[in-house]
Amino acid sequence: MRRRNAPLPARSSAPPEEGVWLWGLHAVSAALQNPARRLRRLLVTRGAEAELAERAAGPWRITPEFVERERLDRTLGAEAIHQGAALLVEPLSPPALSQLMEHTAGPVLVLDQVTDPRNVGAILRSAAAFGAAAVVMQERHAPAETGTLARAASGALEVVPVLREVNLARAIEALKQAGLWVVGLEAAGPVTLAQSGLAGRRVALVLGAEGEGLRRLTRESCDELVRLPIRPTMESLNVSAAAAVALYELGRE
């Protein structure tokens, strides 16, 4: 029992660490290899260091701190599947939309209020796999750059630029001005993506929120609406699955 009038234990004066914790071997190794990523701290268990080194050959730009798994659990939370590695980083700074369109090729994905970080991470993974130039989202009604998103992206967050726009309709208009044909993916689209005749065109593919689909203004901003030819026994696909199928189809054109 504390004596009466005894001083209270001193509270830590250390400020909370700023930045974003990435975790999991895929996400951490990709960030270590990204020269544009600013690194702050690397926490790794002795057991995970060798596997991390196989994925991201050294020398690294940061000195690792060796910790026990329990330390990572406390730092990241019990739900983080960290595989023994965590990296504190600063968020990436994306290029301007006009600059990106001038120096890249490939389709652009536009996400209309897709809010689940795991879905966005999976979409980024498909975007990297099928050669998409970027993913465009709103500043609001979209997930922040987090460890959950990065782990779902499995390294793709370091490869595919993520642009956050205040006004999605204006961003779509800018894509049109850059010469892209804007295609909205919707279950009630009049033709399938394969029937739309997109060969030779650079496409911006617009996907709507989970369950809600495209908002009216976003839908009206598209050059055309298309659907995927799924069987009538299923009403729709998860947005990340739809993005993967659509990107594959675009790659066949």
Side-chain angles (χ1 to χ4, degrees):
M1 181 179 297
R2 186 173 61 88
R3 299 192 312 272
R4 185 175 297 176
N5 299 326
L8 292 171
R11 294 184 179 180
S12 172
S13 59
E17 291 178 304
E18 296 182 358
V20 178
W21 280 108
L22 308 181
W23 61 77
L25 292 169
H26 282 295
V28 171
S29 61
L32 286 173
Q33 296 175 90
N34 181 3
R37 179 68 88 172
R38 299 185 65 179
L39 315 177
R40 292 193 171 183
R41 294 184 69 188
L42 173 60
L43 306 183
V44 62
T45 64
R46 293 281 182 183
E49 182 204 13
E51 188 169 354
L52 188 61
E54 288 182 3
R55 296 170 182 264
W60 299 330
R61 293 174 288 134
I62 189 171
T63 302
E65 303 172 42
F66 293 101
V67 298
E68 299 297 327
R69 296 187 68 89
E70 291 74 14
R71 167 73 182 281
L72 290 172
D73 293 339
R74 291 195 304 270
T75 300
L76 305 173
E79 295 183 358
I81 306 174
H82 51 69
Q83 299 175 292
L87 183 63
L88 184 65
V89 299
E90 294 186 13
L92 290 167
S93 298
L97 182 59
S98 58
Q99 179 186 7
L100 186 76
M101 292 301 95
E102 185 178 348
H103 295 98
T104 62
V108 173
L109 293 177
V110 181
L111 306 184
D112 184 18
Q113 296 194 352
V114 178
T115 57
D116 188 322
R118 292 175 178 83
N119 275 337
V120 173
I123 289 169
L124 281 167
R125 190 172 183 177
S126 295
F130 294 110
V135 171
V136 179
M137 303 188 294
Q138 293 170 290
E139 283 191 358
R140 301 176 62 186
H141 306 296
E145 184 178 321
T146 63
T148 299
L149 188 154
R151 191 175 194 284
S154 195
L157 182 61
E158 311 299 324
V159 177
V160 180
V162 177
L163 281 64
R164 297 179 183 272
E165 301 290 331
V166 174
N167 187 301
L168 207 58
R170 282 203 296 266
I172 289 174
E173 185 58 34
L175 289 170
K176 290 180 179 180
Q177 293 298 320
L180 279 72
W181 186 252
V182 180
V183 177
L185 197 61
E186 191 164 67
V191 297
T192 67
L193 184 58
Q195 294 168 340
S196 59
L198 298 174
R201 283 178 164 171
R202 188 178 183 187
V203 171
L205 183 66
V206 188
L207 298 108
E210 303 93 344
E212 302 296 328
L214 299 176
R215 292 175 298 156
R216 180 185 59 81
L217 184 58
T218 305
R219 187 185 304 110
E220 293 174 353
S221 299
C222 296
D223 291 312
E224 69 173 312
L225 299 175
V226 301
R227 69 178 188 274
L228 295 177
I230 63 176
R231 294 178 180 270
T233 51
M234 291 300 297
E235 182 180 352
S236 64
L237 290 174
N238 171 277
V239 64
S240 62
V245 173
L247 285 170
Y248 171 78
E249 184 60 41
L250 287 175
R252 297 176 60 212
E253 293 289 337

